[in-house]
Amino acid sequence: MRQPLVIANWKMHGKSAFNEALVTDFLAKLMAGRAECVLCPPSVYLGQIAGLLDSSDVMLGAQDCSHIDEGAYTGEVSAEMLRDCGCTWVIVGHSERRQYHQESDALLAAKLAMAQRAGLTPVLCVGETQEQREAGEAEQVVRAQLLGALDDLSDYRHLAIAYEPVWAIGTGLTASPEQAQAMHEFIRDVMRELDARSAESLRLLYGGSVKPGNASELFAQADIDGALVGGASLDAEAFAAIVSAA
Ligand code: PEP
């Protein structure tokens, strides 16, 4: 009932020649399957990747957007500009932006609204740190992140949520399928409180060192509807295998 969704987050990696080889190789290895797939390159390469994806079903996304529509905000990229470049998706609130750019839940709420207004589907990232998990606070932290960013959203249908435990991002540590499922189930319960009707169709992605070797087990869980993939998305064969597993 929920179509699987797998999103590549290239972070700050790539150069023109590398990007072309990666996307060409990935498209050649990608088998027709059930999953929807999105590539999120650095914003300066969106035009290049849009051209490479032109005749495929793979969609284009951005890694962030501004919370402002336009104006004298040097360095910012608006949601409308991203839409104009061919994006249909945008990642919002990745833990690296929360950590290195001090992005607050209130700011993320504004970004989500701006993204949807421009016609983009935002993917809100949530997740606890190692210390928070060890202190038994994981659910409390994730619940606060969800309510803080989503409380005022008017459209819960054009949205996805990625659960990315901070301790599993880029570390090689993965939440066990049972740990990930438990948190996904909890997230769906919180989303039922916000909008009971859309919670069942809302796609919840897991992120944190997803690889071909652990993808199938994660995707087999009832509330895991796909993945947000960092490191492994820079390897055409590995990423194609993850998409096929979904
Ligand atoms: C990410 O960047 O969202 C991520 C999950 O990274 P990785 O797959 O490398 O852990």
Side-chain angles (χ1 to χ4, degrees):
M1 52 169 211
R2 291 186 293 267
Q3 187 176 13
L5 172 65
V6 181
I7 302 182
N9 175 15
W10 289 8
K11 311 194 187 199
M12 198 168 67
H13 294 290
K15 281 204 175 143
S16 304
F18 172 88
N19 301 346
E20 181 163 356
L22 175 62
V23 175
T24 308
D25 199 14
F26 167 66
L27 292 177
K29 290 187 160 71
L30 188 61
M31 315 238 249
R34 287 195 315 135
E36 283 194 308
C37 179
V38 183
L39 301 188
C40 300
S43 60
V44 289
Y45 294 120
L46 286 169
Q48 181 198 15
I49 307 306
L52 292 167
L53 295 181
D54 207 19
S55 51
S56 84
D57 292 333
V58 177
M59 296 175 280
L60 188 65
Q63 298 175 16
D64 181 38
C65 69
S66 177
H67 62 295
I68 294 162
D69 54 357
E70 72 171 333
Y73 298 96
T74 303
E76 288 286 273
V77 177
S78 76
E80 264 195 46
M81 290 171 185
L82 298 174
R83 188 75 193 88
D84 191 38
C85 287
C87 290
T88 47
W89 292 83
V90 62
I91 299 169
V92 171
H94 191 280
S95 63
E96 287 150 15
R97 295 209 60 87
R98 291 179 189 259
Q99 184 180 354
Y100 304 129
H101 301 269
Q102 289 75 47
E103 294 199 351
S104 65
D105 292 329
L107 179 77
L108 301 181
K111 290 188 178 202
L112 291 169
M114 196 56 80
Q116 287 187 337
R117 198 178 314 160
L120 301 173
T121 302
V123 184
L124 175 69
C125 301
V126 296
E128 81 286 356
T129 63
Q130 179 85 54
E131 298 72 47
Q132 289 164 333
R133 177 159 282 264
E134 282 167 6
E137 295 167 356
E139 289 191 351
Q140 185 188 323
V141 167
V142 167
R143 181 182 170 81
Q145 289 173 335
L146 290 169
L147 297 181
L150 294 172
D151 217 4
D152 288 335
L153 202 70
S154 53
D155 177 0
Y156 292 99
R157 286 172 307 123
H158 298 103
L159 175 73
I161 293 176
Y163 168 58
E164 299 207 304
V166 178
W167 48 272
I169 298 179
T171 58
L173 298 172
T174 317
S176 68
E178 295 73 25
Q179 274 175 325
Q181 165 58 24
M183 186 59 90
H184 280 233
E185 199 177 331
F186 174 77
I187 292 172
R188 204 175 298 284
D189 279 343
V190 175
M191 295 310 295
R192 281 190 190 105
E193 289 173 35
L194 289 173
D195 188 47
R197 267 192 306 169
S198 62
E200 305 311 320
S201 55
L202 178 69
R203 287 182 286 184
L204 305 182
L205 314 182
Y206 170 77
S209 300
V210 176
K211 303 182 269 284
N214 59 24
S216 298
E217 263 195 308
L218 288 161
F219 296 152
Q221 305 302 310
D223 287 287
I224 300 184
D225 307 312
L228 179 53
V229 185
S233 71
L234 297 166
D235 177 320
E237 190 165 349
F239 190 57
I242 293 169
V243 179
S244 300

